[in-house]
Amino acid sequence: MKEKPERTETYIPGLGLVQQAGGSADDIRRMSNLLSLLLLCYPLLVRLFRMPLTYLAYLLGFSVRINPLTGLVIQTASVRTAVSALTEVVSLGILMLLVLGLYYRPISQGRIFRRPQKGVLPLAFPMLLASGTMAVICAFLLSRMMGSVGLVVYLNQEPIYGFSPEVAASLAAGLLLALFQELLFRGVILTALRQFGDTFAVLISAVLFAVWCSGVVEAVYGFLFGVCAAYFVIRSGSVYTAMLGRAGLLILLELFRLIRGLLNPREAQLALIGGGLLLALLALAAYLRFIRLDPCAFRLAPAEGALSTRARLGAFCGSVCFLLFLLGLLYRTVATVQVIG
């Protein structure tokens, strides 16, 4: 009988990253099937809870009207946004409970709700903002490239012309969903994956988040930001790092949309370029200081005697449920792309 490799821990100097390794390819494929299957259930959970929560809003006296004969629901934009956000939060909460139940031991040992390690958050925050902004730019460029060949992908990048109640409700709902998403992917899922190695956990948590997004363009943003966020969650020892970075990124993107709506096109373009350059300089300064504090940063080599990172990635991405999960991304992409010309 083949013995499983022992789990090892290597402490990297500097800011205190812990490199973990252990488990076999069969263990990785088993986890891939379970996690992918749970994430595949997310759209079903959203559909299951949408109508009950809509009726609950109606019973509580919100601006919801329901035709008893046809079942047609009429509601204001703010109520629709709130109900939709609450539905997704409930669905995400159920997924988190299921993952916690399946992998309680490695997640409980991770202690993701502790205070971030001293000195990491001030350096990680500008780098997360810059990586997220760069990811959005890459996704936008990809959508333009797809548009040049006759494939139109609609992105929510329209300018905002004022801070109305609808805008405030949309921002609040977006922040709430983003925090729950970070808690799921950079919290429980990342911590559960760390038993097979930190490099593997960073890449797979980003891949799962990318495939979970609603299209190829959004998947580019999800993967690029997911890699940076997962790395700094491990480096800081706290999921609060990713949650603060994601919240700051959403607020920054909404601010950019507001600038586009309030200023004329030339002034808005200059303001966005200036803000982007300032953000890039802050991120570069934080990166240089980060490297000086920890010369071994971003060197996540696997421990000796363990499976290589490539073998672990192949075992995870080759499972049946993961391939079905990937087909789900392709299906959602086809549903959001319009062919023109």
Side-chain angles (χ1 to χ4, degrees), residues 223-303:
F223 178 77
L224 294 178
F225 178 79
V227 168
C228 189
Y231 176 84
F232 282 110
V233 166
I234 294 177
R235 179 66 72 166
S236 65
S238 173
V239 72
Y240 294 136
T241 304
M243 296 173 74
L244 290 174
R246 184 78 180 280
L249 177 62
L250 285 180
I251 294 174
L252 180 65
L253 294 179
E254 291 297 308
L255 180 61
F256 284 167
R257 292 176 61 194
L258 183 61
I259 290 175
R260 289 176 55 197
L262 295 181
L263 301 180
N264 61 61
R266 182 176 179 80
E267 293 177 348
Q269 186 176 12
L270 292 175
L272 294 178
I273 293 176
L277 290 176
L278 179 60
L279 182 60
L281 290 176
L282 290 175
L284 179 60
Y287 172 78
L288 294 176
R289 178 169 174 77
F290 190 80
I291 294 297
R292 189 179 67 179
L293 288 174
D294 187 0
C296 295
F298 307 112
R299 299 177 185 176
L300 301 180

Side-chain angles (χ1 to χ4, degrees), residues 160-275:
I160 299 175
Y161 299 98
F163 198 74
S164 62
E166 288 77 13
V167 173
S170 177
L171 178 59
L175 287 173
L176 183 63
L177 290 178
L179 295 181
F180 269 81
Q181 291 170 6
E182 293 304 311
L183 188 58
L184 174 62
F185 286 95
R186 255 68 70 177
V188 294
I189 290 181
L190 176 66
T191 307
L193 289 169
R194 287 194 68 191
Q195 61 185 303
F196 302 114
D198 288 339
T199 308
F200 171 81
V202 168
L203 293 176
I204 288 299
S205 64
V207 168
L208 287 176
F209 183 58
V211 179
W212 185 78
C213 293
S214 58
V216 173
V217 175
E218 292 82 0
V220 173
Y221 157 76
F223 178 77
L224 294 178
F225 178 79
V227 168
C228 189
Y231 176 84
F232 282 110
V233 166
I234 294 177
R235 179 66 72 166
S236 65
S238 173
V239 72
Y240 294 136
T241 304
M243 296 173 74
L244 290 174
R246 184 78 180 280
L249 177 62
L250 285 180
I251 294 174
L252 180 65
L253 294 179
E254 291 297 308
L255 180 61
F256 284 167
R257 292 176 61 194
L258 183 61
I259 290 175
R260 289 176 55 197
L262 295 181
L263 301 180
N264 61 61
R266 182 176 179 80
E267 293 177 348
Q269 186 176 12
L270 292 175
L272 294 178
I273 293 176

Side-chain angles (χ1 to χ4, degrees), residues 17-29:
L17 177 67
V18 178
Q19 173 68 38
Q20 300 173 334
S24 64
D26 291 335
D27 295 331
I28 294 175
R29 278 190 287 267

Side-chain angles (χ1 to χ4, degrees), residues 8 29 33 49-50 113 117 119-120 176 182 226 258 260 266 291 305 317 329 332:
T8 60
R29 278 190 287 267
N33 283 319
F49 288 105
R50 178 171 288 134
F113 291 108
Q117 188 175 356
V120 179
L176 183 63
E182 293 304 311
L258 183 61
R260 289 176 55 197
R266 182 176 179 80
I291 294 297
C317 298
L329 170 66
R332 293 193 300 271

